[in-house]
């Protein structure tokens, strides 16, 4: 005789998915009809879904590497997107960060901004941003969307955004765009902008290749380049380049390693003093061509390349 199942379900004997059961108080009976309290039934499922980890949250979006860059490494940047027709076909500005790290804001002029760098979130950044965006569309103009509870199941950016609108990034020298065209801004918001402007890292996006960002930190200059290829293939290709002394990008530069962010690999170079972003345009194109050649090479790694790969892997750092 088989064991009785400890889980009970609603009518029909089939458990309803979390997204189809209304959210109620933790101690009241679950609306699914199981007889258990909500927190012990579908409330638990809601929590589990909210923290479910998605390794590449922006996969499938146009400009995935730039989405990752704005979320992880670029201080002040924006890009225009549009919601799909079923979500109102509304123009929305994606911002690297918003005042007080708000998830989104519906400005008094009717424009909607959504932020990528926030203080908290679930295991799926795409779901978090989509929830904040939809909340901003539903709020009154002049109202921010403050941090709140994890959003639970629901549409992701891949569902909400119009895929035909390209994700084109504009890097800003500071955060004055937060207040552009607005009046009557609170002292708290203005102070937040001033603090952010004082700490901003000068950054430029290269125009000759995708998702490569030059930055100046103190007296040092770096290039961080978000790459979309599969990580294992990239590591092999980087090892081939490193073993043949082709990983430096420009004379005097040094490849220092790569970190992982939102499922993509981000190689980093230390640049010679005085190197400007414009100085990297042609070398970046040439390096990208060399990378493509290395990615196309399917021969087993040589002994020197295997040693180089161990060094490349040893220099990795995971941000998220």
């Amino acid at each position: 005789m088989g064991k009785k199942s400890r889980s009970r379900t609603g009518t029909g004997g089939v458990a309803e998915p979390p997204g189809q059961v209304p959210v109620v108080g933790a101690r009241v009976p679950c609306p699914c009809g199981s007889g258990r309290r909500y927190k012990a039934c579908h409330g638990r499922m809601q929590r589990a879904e909210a923290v479910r980890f998605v390794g590449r949250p922006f996969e499938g979006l146009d400009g995935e590497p730039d989405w990752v860059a704005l979320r992880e490494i670029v201080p002040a940047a924006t890009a225009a997107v549009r919601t799909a027709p079923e979500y109102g076909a509304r123009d929305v500005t994606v911002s690297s960060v918003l005042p007080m790290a708000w998830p989104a804001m519906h400005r008094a002029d009717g424009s909607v901004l959504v932020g990528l760098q926030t203080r908290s979130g679930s295991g799926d950044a795409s779901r978090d941003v989509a929830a904040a965006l939809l909340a901003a569309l539903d709020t009154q103009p002049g109202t921010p969307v403050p941090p709140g509870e994890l959003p639970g199941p629901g549409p992701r950016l891949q569902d909400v955004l119009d895929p035909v609108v390209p994700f084109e990034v504009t890097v800003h020298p500071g955060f004055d765009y937060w207040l552009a065209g607005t009046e009557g801004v609170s002292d708290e918001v203005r102070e937040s902008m001033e603090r952010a402007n004082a700490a901003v890292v000068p950054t430029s996006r290269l125009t000759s290749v995708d998702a490569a960002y030059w930055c100046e930190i103190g007296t040092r200059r770096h290039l961080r380049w978000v790459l979309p290829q599969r990580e294992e293939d990239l590591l092999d290709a980087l090892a081939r380049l490193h073993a043949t002394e082709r990983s430096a990008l420009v004379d005097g530069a040094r490849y220092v390693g790569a970190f992982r962010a939102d499922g993509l690999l981000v190689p980093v170079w230390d640049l010679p003093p005085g190197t400007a972003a414009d100085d990297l345009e042609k070398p970046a194109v040439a390096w990208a061509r060399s990378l493509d050649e290395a990615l196309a090479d399917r021969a087993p790694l040589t002994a020197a390349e295997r040693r180089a790969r161990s060094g490349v892997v040893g220099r990795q750092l995971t941000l998220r």
Side-chain angles (χ1 to χ4, degrees), residues 114-126:
V114 63
L116 296 182
Q117 299 174 24
T118 57
R119 294 192 180 97
S120 62
S122 72
D124 183 0
S126 178

Side-chain angles (χ1 to χ4, degrees), residues 66-67 69-71 73-80 93-98 113-117 167-178 200-201 203-205 213:
D66 280 311
W67 281 93
L70 265 62
R71 178 169 158 80
I73 64 175
V74 181
T78 57
T93 298
V94 176
S95 174
S96 52
V97 68
L98 292 176
L113 286 78
V114 63
L116 296 182
Q117 299 174 24
F167 193 73
E168 298 178 349
V169 174
T170 299
V171 177
H172 302 275
F175 298 92
D176 294 54
Y177 67 88
W178 285 351
V200 72
V201 172
T203 301
S204 294
R205 184 184 187 278
Y213 290 84

Side-chain angles (χ1 to χ4, degrees), residues 101-163:
W102 286 331
M105 57 192 294
H106 193 159
R107 299 200 313 180
D109 63 1
S111 59
V112 172
L113 286 78
V114 63
L116 296 182
Q117 299 174 24
T118 57
R119 294 192 180 97
S120 62
S122 72
D124 183 0
S126 178
R127 169 63 187 137
D128 295 338
V129 178
L133 189 162
L134 295 177
L137 292 176
D138 286 339
T139 62
Q140 293 296 317
T143 307
V145 174
E149 296 182 358
L150 300 183
R156 308 174 71 239
L157 288 172
Q158 290 83 345
D159 307 310
V160 171
L161 297 183
D162 187 337

Side-chain angles (χ1 to χ4, degrees), residues 146-226:
E149 296 182 358
L150 300 183
R156 308 174 71 239
L157 288 172
Q158 290 83 345
D159 307 310
V160 171
L161 297 183
D162 187 337
V164 305
V165 178
F167 193 73
E168 298 178 349
V169 174
T170 299
V171 177
H172 302 275
F175 298 92
D176 294 54
Y177 67 88
W178 285 351
L179 309 184
T182 62
E183 298 179 359
V185 177
S186 69
D187 291 341
E188 186 179 24
V189 170
R190 194 171 297 279
E191 289 170 3
S192 177
M193 186 194 72
E194 291 172 354
R195 288 195 302 271
N197 281 343
V200 72
V201 172
T203 301
S204 294
R205 184 184 187 278
L206 301 193
T207 60
S208 57
V209 294
D210 292 334
Y213 290 84
W214 169 96
C215 68
E216 183 178 9
I217 303 176
T219 60
R220 305 181 68 177
R221 302 186 181 193
H222 310 276
L223 183 74
R224 296 175 287 186
W225 194 341
V226 188

